[in-house]
Amino acid sequence: MSEGKLVIFSAPSGAGKTTIVSHLLTLGLNFGFSISATTRKPRGTEQNGKEYYFLSVEEFKNKIDQGEFLEWEEVYPGCFYGTLKSEVERISKNGQNILFDIDVVGGSNIKKYYGDKALAVFVQAPSIEELKNRLIIRSTDHLEVIQQRIAKAEHEMSFVNLFDIVIVNDKLEDALLEAEQKVIQFLEKNSD
Ligand code: 5GP
């Protein structure tokens, strides 16, 4: 389906992958960001069609029934997230590489589907304790949501073996540099 290369970033929430993904988008590596659909409410300054396509549960379920998703997950109870096939097509048609910021299940599924065309990167926080601190400092979510995310993070760690590489986000500058190097290496290798 895709003509370009795919780079997938997955991680437990709060590991810092969104910061890394945003950084990679500024480097002129010809990436299009795969804008996912979600049923969660926008946070902060998030806009429809920029960070996500914000849908109602009904709209999301209609798209599932119509076979419009490449993959989708109920990432949190009642909260759906998915990659639209139309999104992958849109970016491919632009002649761009595709950058995904998705959960570990979706990420490992896309990796399985695309094989060597995809680089799957697992971003890990140094510890669960640190993850907890980061989610609390960000504090854009209610405490109940934060607790849900921490419990889930522990389970998500077990998917790490399905990924090509692991980046431990201890110091952000180091993680950004490592991500940059690994992604450039992958893009160059595959374009031979
Ligand atoms: P957040 O609500 O913090 O933006 O995202 C919650 C989780 O859902 C993150 O791990 C994020 O990467 C993941 N996610 C975002 N888009 C998708 C998607 O299209 N598919 C799947 N499976 N997960 C997604």
Side-chain angles (χ1 to χ4, degrees):
M1 187 192 275
S2 153
E3 296 303 313
K5 293 141 213 144
L6 297 90
V7 175
I8 305 156
F9 275 81
S10 296
S13 181
K17 75 175 178 311
T18 303
T19 311
I20 297 177
V21 165
S22 305
H23 172 69
L24 290 171
L25 289 170
T26 65
L27 299 177
L29 297 174
N30 194 27
F31 272 121
F33 177 65
S34 170
I35 303 167
S36 298
T38 183
T39 64
R40 84 147 161 77
K41 299 279 173 281
R43 277 202 296 253
T45 59
E46 287 179 339
Q47 285 168 26
N48 187 44
K50 190 163 173 250
E51 288 83 0
Y52 284 106
Y53 300 113
F54 294 100
L55 305 181
S56 67
V57 174
E58 197 189 346
E59 286 168 330
F60 198 101
K61 287 191 171 165
N62 280 338
K63 289 190 186 297
I64 296 174
D65 293 343
Q66 301 297 316
E68 291 184 35
F69 286 107
L70 180 60
E71 61 78 38
W72 62 270
E73 295 291 325
E74 189 173 357
V75 175
Y76 305 106
C79 229
F80 295 84
Y81 293 78
T83 307
L84 292 160
K85 292 177 184 168
S86 58
E87 194 56 15
V88 174
E89 281 159 15
R90 175 183 71 79
I91 300 168
S92 298
K93 269 193 203 132
N94 281 345
Q96 291 179 296
N97 302 309
I98 310 178
L99 192 55
F100 297 89
D101 173 345
I102 68 178
D103 89 316
V104 297
V105 181
S108 54
N109 282 335
I110 291 189
K111 170 64 191 174
K112 215 183 310 164
Y113 187 80
Y114 286 100
D116 288 345
K117 259 182 106 169
L119 175 71
V121 184
F122 191 98
V123 181
Q124 208 174 292
S127 66
I128 289 286
E129 205 47 46
E130 179 58 23
L131 193 68
K132 215 179 282 183
N133 292 338
R134 288 181 191 181
L135 287 173
I136 291 167
I137 289 165
R138 185 169 80 185
S139 75
T140 43
D141 294 311
H142 294 295
L143 195 61
E144 194 189 317
V145 175
I146 292 176
Q147 278 161 349
Q148 257 177 24
R149 285 177 181 229
I150 290 163
K152 196 171 164 64
E154 287 170 319
H155 170 67
E156 286 173 324
M157 296 287 191
S158 66
F159 283 77
V160 67
N161 291 338
L162 301 172
F163 286 76
D164 296 310
I165 58 170
V166 179
I167 293 178
V168 178
N169 185 7
D170 191 355
K171 273 178 64 193
L172 183 62
E173 310 88 86
D174 295 347
L176 291 178
L177 193 64
E178 190 181 352
E180 202 175 309
Q181 286 168 344
K182 294 280 167 51
V183 166
I184 290 173
Q185 215 173 52
F186 169 75
L187 293 178
E188 284 176 351
K189 184 183 76 190
N190 273 28
S191 60
D192 290 342

